Amino acid sequence: MTFLNPLLLFGLAAAAIPVILHLLNLRKLRTIDFSTLKFLKELQQSRIRKLKLRQILLLIVRTLMVAFIVMAFARPALRGSLPAGFGAAASSSVAIVLDDSYSMMAADEAGERYSQGRKASSDIVSLLKEGDAASLLKLSDLPKLTIDPPTHDFGLLGEVIDRGRPSYVRRPLGDGVAAAVRLMDQSNDVNREIYIVSDFQKSSLTGGAAPVAGGTVPATDPRIRLFLVDIGLRPIANAAIDSVAVLSRIFEKDRPVEISARVRNFGDNVVKDAVVSLFAGGTRVAQSNVTVEPGSAQSITLTFVPRKSGPVDGHVGLETDELEPDNIRYFSFTVPGRIRVLVASGKPDDAKFLVPALRAGSAGSSGGAGGGISTGGSRAGSAGDGQSAMEISQVGAAGLARANLREFDVVVLCGLPSFDRADGDRIRNFVGAGGGLVVFPGTDSDPANYNRMLLGPMSLPEIRGTTGGISGTTGSTDGGGPNGASGLYFREIDFDHPLFATIFEKTGRTDDPRRLSPRINRSFDFRATPRSRSIITLSNGAGFFLEQAVGSGRVALFSCAPVLGWGDFPMKGLFAPLVYRTVVYLASGTDRLEQFGVGAEASIAVRQGATLPPGAQYALRLPDAVEEFITPSSSGAGLLFKYPLLPLPGHYRITAGDATLALFPANLAPEEADLAKAAAAEVDTFLAVHGFTEEQVRRLPAGDQLPGRITEARFGMELWKYCVGLVLLLALLEMAINRRAGGEKTLEN
């Protein structure tokens, strides 16, 4: 027995009123005997006994009437298994948690699993009675509820269920359980029922539980009953592409790009010679076969050559099986067209080797002590149409302050003496919005100013001093360079960095960095930090060439000026290809290789260049070709676009008129591809984490027998109507007693 309005039980104190009145009527009176009345004493004794019995009976009836009136307002309820029909008087609050994740698209002998779940949900709705209230919680709609607040319109609820389709958005099952429990806590009904309609994947049993202090989980209200409606007759084998990665980091027209894909076999049988295809722009450009053992994964690398510049939308596809959506994963990248480069130098001579190197690219032949420099990249300095791939603008220190950085893809700072705060802020905003920055020191460069105005605000490695053998510099030389020359030299080269992917021929590459090293007479002392990467390290442990991501852009730091006074670096065969590929690398937008998950929020930074139409109206084009207008916010030197929830897998385009500003992919959650069901013990553990006990849980297999099983399992009845009925019966009994007493008095008279 429980009470839905327990505070009203304090009203039971009113039941004492009839008792108090009865006691007041029992006050002692002084007896005076009359001799003429003595013969009546024997008769009076029997009458008095009847009168006292009637008074006690009326006292009991009136006390019970008051008690039952109070109990009716307190709404007593009886809990426990009751015969069908007897407990139908109790209203119920019902929450249906419907798993609509894409794993429910799989089919077995009973048809598509989501169709089975939809029918089971409709069966639950058909059992609801007048006075019940129901809510629908499709997992893909969380944290919002599909139907909120709870509705009494079961026709509308049924229509919403019938119109539903599986979603590509994945939410943990625990989030649905937690949301349903919160709904039940707000209910005043005695029957509080949660129905989970799901295929109960092992991978979905996460989320929702929030431990309190001490690591414990608060117990769920014991009045809540949980019904598990299990969808799926048999295990389903499945294979999926669970990841795709763009291995290349430098993208050039007519140069190969490598794509890696991993195929995972979730079934118990070998996936043999499955066809994996690579598509770019909707066209198949590569294909291979893969064999994957049960419960394992196999990676495969596919290569293709982009034939035009601009955004490239691609995907890797696996041949069909019993679950289709997870057989495709998407990727994208951008092949730069004409790279707009701004070279700002302190003096004209500071860039006299740099600018020709950018124009020549890697077209130069091998040379120097290193050898092995490939001539296979002769197109690197050309756009393939007879025009230079780079559009280079050169300014002095004063021109940097007047330059509109939004018009450029990469800014190269070469030998600038110092920066003011305004220049530092403009450069930092430019890089944060996706621009590329290359920094070369110069003879007149002030390390303290660099640290304070440029490097420090961007959290880049700061200059710790100057080393070298030129008179007037601090530090000392490190002898033992190549061919016995004094000075600093290369100690380590990160040959795995994308910059070196095509610079060296396999037959000519040397593993001794000193054979590639120039003679370095002077350099700034940069030291790599946890956020930066040292690509080339000098013999004194300082970095010669470092890179670091800053916001949506990247920065490359060289510790040696590209002039002969600091060493013979500009004369080495490594100089031109390294400088050129660094600029191309920074312009390739490596940050745009990020892949979003379906159901996640997308945040895309776009540099606001001169090519953007003034007053342009921005739109987001979804994979199903639907366009939505989107308003960006300002982000430094660019625009920041945010979209709260990506509903579909595929490619999303941010456009301004006919121009594509950004292209990015969204992919399905790979965990959903594992269709393995959770064992009963795993489900019990999952429910225990959410505070449910074994007594609260009922397991109901889906199928034609589901309505009958639910009817047998439902329980609970409110007793306030019976209390009111008892009050009426007691009132009739009191009237009958009083009428009999009045009749006896009449007869006596």
Side-chain angles (χ1 to χ4, degrees), residues 2-14 67 70-76:
T2 186
F3 293 90
L4 302 183
N5 297 321
L7 292 179
L8 294 180
L9 291 176
F10 288 108
L12 288 175
V70 173
M71 291 181 66
F73 282 102
R75 293 180 65 188

Short mmCIF file of all heavy atoms in Angstrom, two decimals, residues 2-14 67 70-76:
data_model
loop_
_atom_site.label_atom_id
_atom_site.label_comp_id
_atom_site.label_asym_id
_atom_site.label_seq_id
_atom_site.Cartn_x
_atom_site.Cartn_y
_atom_site.Cartn_z
N THR A 2 0.51 2.21 -0.84
CA THR A 2 1.22 3.48 -0.87
C THR A 2 0.20 4.59 -1.05
O THR A 2 -0.96 4.34 -1.43
CB THR A 2 2.25 3.52 -2.01
OG1 THR A 2 3.00 4.72 -1.91
CG2 THR A 2 1.58 3.48 -3.38
N PHE A 3 0.60 5.84 -0.75
CA PHE A 3 -0.29 7.00 -0.86
C PHE A 3 0.34 8.00 -1.81
O PHE A 3 1.52 8.35 -1.65
CB PHE A 3 -0.53 7.63 0.51
CG PHE A 3 -1.31 6.75 1.45
CD1 PHE A 3 -0.65 5.86 2.29
CD2 PHE A 3 -2.69 6.82 1.49
CE1 PHE A 3 -1.37 5.05 3.16
CE2 PHE A 3 -3.41 6.01 2.36
CZ PHE A 3 -2.75 5.11 3.20
N LEU A 4 -0.45 8.48 -2.76
CA LEU A 4 0.06 9.43 -3.74
C LEU A 4 0.08 10.86 -3.19
O LEU A 4 0.84 11.70 -3.67
CB LEU A 4 -0.77 9.37 -5.02
CG LEU A 4 -0.82 8.00 -5.70
CD1 LEU A 4 -1.60 8.09 -7.00
CD2 LEU A 4 0.58 7.47 -5.95
N ASN A 5 -0.78 11.14 -2.18
CA ASN A 5 -0.76 12.44 -1.49
C ASN A 5 -0.57 12.19 0.01
O ASN A 5 -1.48 12.41 0.82
CB ASN A 5 -2.06 13.21 -1.74
CG ASN A 5 -2.25 13.56 -3.20
OD1 ASN A 5 -1.29 13.89 -3.89
ND2 ASN A 5 -3.49 13.49 -3.67
N PRO A 6 0.59 11.72 0.41
CA PRO A 6 0.77 11.27 1.79
C PRO A 6 0.64 12.39 2.83
O PRO A 6 0.31 12.12 3.98
CB PRO A 6 2.18 10.67 1.79
CG PRO A 6 2.87 11.32 0.64
CD PRO A 6 1.81 11.55 -0.39
N LEU A 7 0.89 13.64 2.45
CA LEU A 7 0.81 14.73 3.43
C LEU A 7 -0.60 14.89 3.98
O LEU A 7 -0.79 15.36 5.11
CB LEU A 7 1.29 16.04 2.80
CG LEU A 7 2.79 16.10 2.46
CD1 LEU A 7 3.12 17.45 1.81
CD2 LEU A 7 3.64 15.91 3.71
N LEU A 8 -1.60 14.53 3.19
CA LEU A 8 -2.98 14.67 3.65
C LEU A 8 -3.34 13.68 4.74
O LEU A 8 -4.40 13.79 5.37
CB LEU A 8 -3.94 14.51 2.47
CG LEU A 8 -3.86 15.62 1.40
CD1 LEU A 8 -4.86 15.35 0.28
CD2 LEU A 8 -4.14 16.98 2.03
N LEU A 9 -2.47 12.70 5.00
CA LEU A 9 -2.74 11.74 6.06
C LEU A 9 -2.74 12.39 7.44
O LEU A 9 -3.24 11.82 8.41
CB LEU A 9 -1.72 10.60 6.02
CG LEU A 9 -1.83 9.66 4.80
CD1 LEU A 9 -0.70 8.65 4.82
CD2 LEU A 9 -3.17 8.95 4.79
N PHE A 10 -2.14 13.59 7.52
CA PHE A 10 -2.22 14.30 8.80
C PHE A 10 -3.67 14.62 9.16
O PHE A 10 -4.00 14.87 10.32
CB PHE A 10 -1.40 15.59 8.72
CG PHE A 10 0.09 15.36 8.73
CD1 PHE A 10 0.83 15.57 7.59
CD2 PHE A 10 0.73 14.92 9.88
CE1 PHE A 10 2.20 15.35 7.59
CE2 PHE A 10 2.09 14.72 9.89
CZ PHE A 10 2.84 14.93 8.74
N GLY A 11 -4.55 14.60 8.15
CA GLY A 11 -5.96 14.85 8.42
C GLY A 11 -6.64 13.75 9.21
O GLY A 11 -7.78 13.92 9.67
N LEU A 12 -5.96 12.62 9.37
CA LEU A 12 -6.54 11.54 10.17
C LEU A 12 -6.75 11.96 11.62
O LEU A 12 -7.51 11.31 12.36
CB LEU A 12 -5.65 10.30 10.10
CG LEU A 12 -5.64 9.54 8.76
CD1 LEU A 12 -4.63 8.41 8.80
CD2 LEU A 12 -7.03 8.98 8.47
N ALA A 13 -6.07 13.01 12.01
CA ALA A 13 -6.28 13.49 13.38
C ALA A 13 -7.73 13.91 13.60
O ALA A 13 -8.24 13.90 14.74
CB ALA A 13 -5.34 14.67 13.66
N ALA A 14 -8.43 14.27 12.50
CA ALA A 14 -9.85 14.66 12.63
C ALA A 14 -10.72 13.49 13.06
O ALA A 14 -11.85 13.69 13.55
CB ALA A 14 -10.35 15.23 11.30
N ALA A 67 -12.06 8.95 8.80
CA ALA A 67 -10.79 8.36 8.38
C ALA A 67 -10.80 8.04 6.89
O ALA A 67 -9.82 8.33 6.16
CB ALA A 67 -10.50 7.11 9.19
N VAL A 70 -10.52 11.21 4.71
CA VAL A 70 -9.13 11.68 4.63
C VAL A 70 -8.31 10.77 3.72
O VAL A 70 -7.52 11.25 2.88
CB VAL A 70 -8.50 11.73 6.04
CG1 VAL A 70 -7.01 12.06 5.96
CG2 VAL A 70 -9.22 12.77 6.90
N MET A 71 -8.47 9.47 3.81
CA MET A 71 -7.71 8.54 2.99
C MET A 71 -8.06 8.69 1.51
O MET A 71 -7.19 8.53 0.64
CB MET A 71 -7.96 7.10 3.45
CG MET A 71 -7.34 6.79 4.82
SD MET A 71 -7.63 5.09 5.33
CE MET A 71 -6.67 4.21 4.13
N ALA A 72 -9.33 9.01 1.22
CA ALA A 72 -9.71 9.21 -0.19
C ALA A 72 -8.94 10.37 -0.79
O ALA A 72 -8.47 10.30 -1.94
CB ALA A 72 -11.21 9.44 -0.30
N PHE A 73 -8.79 11.45 0.00
CA PHE A 73 -8.01 12.60 -0.51
C PHE A 73 -6.52 12.27 -0.59
O PHE A 73 -5.80 12.83 -1.42
CB PHE A 73 -8.24 13.82 0.38
CG PHE A 73 -9.55 14.52 0.11
CD1 PHE A 73 -10.64 14.34 0.95
CD2 PHE A 73 -9.68 15.34 -1.01
CE1 PHE A 73 -11.84 14.97 0.69
CE2 PHE A 73 -10.89 15.97 -1.27
CZ PHE A 73 -11.98 15.79 -0.42
N ALA A 74 -6.03 11.39 0.25
CA ALA A 74 -4.61 11.00 0.22
C ALA A 74 -4.31 10.01 -0.91
O ALA A 74 -3.14 9.72 -1.17
CB ALA A 74 -4.20 10.39 1.56
N ARG A 75 -5.31 9.51 -1.61
CA ARG A 75 -5.17 8.62 -2.78
C ARG A 75 -4.32 7.39 -2.48
O ARG A 75 -3.19 7.24 -2.94
CB ARG A 75 -4.58 9.38 -3.96
CG ARG A 75 -5.46 10.47 -4.53
CD ARG A 75 -4.81 11.17 -5.68
NE ARG A 75 -4.63 10.27 -6.81
CZ ARG A 75 -3.94 10.60 -7.90
NH1 ARG A 75 -3.37 11.78 -7.99
NH2 ARG A 75 -3.82 9.73 -8.89
N PRO A 76 -4.87 6.45 -1.71
CA PRO A 76 -4.13 5.20 -1.46
C PRO A 76 -4.07 4.36 -2.73
O PRO A 76 -4.97 4.42 -3.58
CB PRO A 76 -4.95 4.52 -0.37
CG PRO A 76 -6.34 5.03 -0.58
CD PRO A 76 -6.18 6.45 -1.05
#
